[in-house]
Amino acid sequence: MPPEWGLTDTGRMTTFRLGPWNELAEGVFVLVAQPANVNIGLVVGDRACLLVDTGSTPEQGRLIRARVAEVTDRPLTHVVVTHAHWDHLYGLAAFDDVETLGHESIAASLAQAPDATSRQCADLGISPDDLVAPNRPFGVMRAIDLGGRVAQIVHVGPAHTTGDAIVIVDRVVFTGDLVEQGADPSIEPAGTLASWPLALECVLKSAAKGSLFVPGHGDPVDERFVQRQRSDLLWIVGEVSDNVRNGITLASALASLGTDTAPDWPFNEATMRDVLPVAYGQLAREGHTPRRQLPITSV
């Protein structure tokens, strides 16, 4: 858990604060919302503006909405949610009177794990009844004309989640958690590791040359950073696939971490202890399991 989150003795998150708006390009802003150090984007056109992600609670969403007036007098007409995780989605109820967009899978994602959602809400001091899905779900792509500029919203998942979407405005791309800076990517069982590199390839091909990429968490990055993260994820997919073909079990792969026999994984040991079960599990669901029980040995 990142140190910014801050918990009370009862386990509730207490650090809810918003940083200042920073202008990344003309009319394109970002602020950082705590907890979870999440980037909130704002795109201002001649006629209207659009927000990217909503914070962690409806109250934080209302505070973000009020902060829009600090940088523009254009009306907020659209809100985009990049994916279904709490730090990006749970503030959405503060915007239900405007057009809110997100992938069509988000409503189902909210309903799929009620116990986990209830625990998250308890930690945040809210009720599951406070949560809403986007009121304008989309399947593949939407384009929003804000006057003088168009925001393109593209579904590139499944990857980090089923419903990952990016927002492209001129030479700025809001990637959600498809890209992470300052920490390893969050690779979870509900995501699809095998198609994540393809999603990042789509991100790169959709962006104009020289674009700035705004990750879900961390500082904006360039094309080279996104390419490197794509290569890291692709390497993991390939290495685990080789493990399975060579009869190396999950237990053996985990036991090798931190030893000289481990592959040179691109992420740290703690991350790989979470990633390897996910990677093996996804291959197993596709019918790929080690045929022999071989340990990892030194070359």
Side-chain angles (χ1 to χ4, degrees), residues 92-194:
L92 192 60
F95 305 93
D96 215 27
D97 59 324
V98 302
E99 188 167 332
T100 61
L101 300 102
H103 187 251
E104 59 194 9
S105 65
I106 287 179
S109 295
L110 272 175
Q112 278 174 355
D115 292 342
T117 299
S118 294
R119 288 193 297 272
Q120 289 172 344
C121 288
D123 288 343
L124 292 162
I126 61 176
S127 165
D129 294 336
D130 295 326
L131 307 183
V132 299
N135 57 37
R136 296 291 187 274
F138 70 95
V140 179
M141 186 176 72
R142 285 286 305 273
I144 306 298
D145 185 355
L146 300 171
R149 70 189 337 163
V150 174
Q152 298 179 64
I153 308 156
V154 185
H155 173 239
V156 296
H160 175 64
T161 69
T162 301
D164 296 304
I166 62 173
V167 181
I168 307 168
V169 183
D170 302 329
R171 295 183 185 275
V172 179
V173 183
F174 292 92
T175 69
D177 287 358
L178 287 168
V179 178
E180 294 275 8
Q181 186 278 332
D184 294 334
S186 179
I187 301 169
E188 302 174 10
T192 308
L193 176 60

Side-chain angles (χ1 to χ4, degrees), residues 22-30 42-44 149 169 172 174:
N22 293 309
E23 191 167 17
L24 303 177
E26 184 177 358
V28 182
F29 301 85
V30 65
L42 179 66
V43 181
V44 180
R149 70 189 337 163
V169 183
V172 179
F174 292 92

Side-chain angles (χ1 to χ4, degrees), residues 40 52-57 60-61 64 79 81 88-92 95:
I40 307 295
V52 183
D53 286 331
T54 65
S56 302
T57 69
Q60 188 170 60
I64 292 169
V79 175
V81 177
H88 301 259
L89 173 67
Y90 284 12
L92 192 60
F95 305 93

Side-chain angles (χ1 to χ4, degrees), residues 17-20 22 30-34 36-40 218:
R17 64 176 182 268
L18 303 176
N22 293 309
V30 65
L31 66 72
V32 177
Q34 303 293 0
N37 196 42
V38 63
N39 287 322
I40 307 295

